[in-house]
Amino acid sequence: MHLNLEKRGSLAVHCVVNGPIQTNTYIAVSGNEAVIVDPAWDGEKLAEVLAERCPGARVAAIICTHGHADHIGGVAGLKRALGADAPFLISETDAAIMERAIADMREMWGFDHEVPPVPDRLLNEDDVVEFGDVALQVMATPGHTPGGIVLFCPATTGNVAFVGDTLFPGAHGRTDLDGGSEKQIIDSLGKMGTYLPQDTLCLVGHNDTTTIAAELEQNLFMRRGLRHYR
């Protein structure tokens, strides 16, 4: 893969914790445009939060880092609230698992989510999503799901990566769900540790943030994955 590390533009990020298992939804703002990452639950409510925190911002994209129900559950409501001009993006691979993932969560935990509409754009590694004066670069990170992705943004305000459930502080997302792979997620962590700058702020799908530098020091799974790249 190829990452452009040249810093450009400014990025501000708002976090909204929502949904039945406390998913972090991120509203990334650059200029007068916004991208909503991982709308977990009650899309109409998220649209209200957007209007309150970022009045006048145009939503350039709704992007999901992977296809699990707790990261896509608010897409349909958000699309209804924002209209057709807010495109829905997800990886090409995980677009195929969304309906099954919602059914699995309903069966396992009793939580129900609305199935998202057909994606407006399918993402693959090295794709770029531009908005405002910044760009999100797509890195394929399978393991938690077959088509998990990381969105990396090298902004003048700091390097940021939206990592979904691939990486947690000192750990990684579970791999025992349908389509998960322990080998793949270890390799994905090694890939992140190799390609992402150490000062990258990693915005995770649940709980607290971390940095690549911290994970290179403390995350044994990432250090194990690095052997694949060194």
Side-chain angles (χ1 to χ4, degrees), residues 15-71:
C15 180
V16 184
V17 181
N18 65 129
I21 54 176
Q22 300 291 283
T23 304
N24 293 330
T25 293
Y26 295 102
I27 303 172
V29 183
S30 180
N32 65 349
E33 293 191 311
V35 164
I36 300 176
V37 180
D38 289 344
W41 187 267
D42 195 347
E44 285 90 353
K45 178 62 178 177
L46 287 172
E48 292 176 6
V49 173
L50 170 71
E52 291 169 2
R53 297 193 186 183
C54 314
R58 184 188 79 86
V59 176
I62 301 164
I63 310 178
C64 293
T65 59
H66 61 288
H68 279 163
D70 60 314
H71 289 254

Side-chain angles (χ1 to χ4, degrees), residues 4 10 24 31 44 63 87 99 127 154 195 197 209:
N4 181 355
S10 62
N24 293 330
E44 285 90 353
I63 310 178
E99 189 166 354
D127 283 348
Y195 288 103
T209 61

Side-chain angles (χ1 to χ4, degrees), residues 24-175:
N24 293 330
T25 293
Y26 295 102
I27 303 172
V29 183
S30 180
N32 65 349
E33 293 191 311
V35 164
I36 300 176
V37 180
D38 289 344
W41 187 267
D42 195 347
E44 285 90 353
K45 178 62 178 177
L46 287 172
E48 292 176 6
V49 173
L50 170 71
E52 291 169 2
R53 297 193 186 183
C54 314
R58 184 188 79 86
V59 176
I62 301 164
I63 310 178
C64 293
T65 59
H66 61 288
H68 279 163
D70 60 314
H71 289 254
I72 63 173
V75 172
L78 199 52
K79 287 277 284 185
R80 273 195 302 274
L82 298 176
D85 290 339
F88 166 41
L89 287 61
I90 192 170
S91 76
E92 184 172 7
T93 301
D94 269 19
I97 74 167
M98 295 190 296
E99 189 166 354
R100 186 171 75 246
I102 286 175
D104 287 346
M105 179 169 274
R106 185 187 307 120
E107 182 178 341
M108 284 189 299
W109 293 319
F111 299 130
D112 204 5
H113 295 73
E114 188 176 357
V115 177
V118 174
D120 298 287
R121 179 181 171 188
L122 298 175
L123 298 174
N124 291 287
E125 182 154 279
D126 291 331
D127 283 348
V128 175
V129 180
E130 297 194 16
F131 68 105
D133 56 4
V134 300
L136 300 175
Q137 302 174 53
V138 178
M139 172 186 286
T141 55
H144 181 60
T145 62
I149 58 173
V150 163
L151 303 165
F152 172 65
C153 181
T156 58
T157 46
N159 291 316
V160 173
F162 301 90
V163 302
D165 289 355
T166 297
L167 171 68
F168 294 126
H172 62 68
R174 61 189 297 180
T175 58

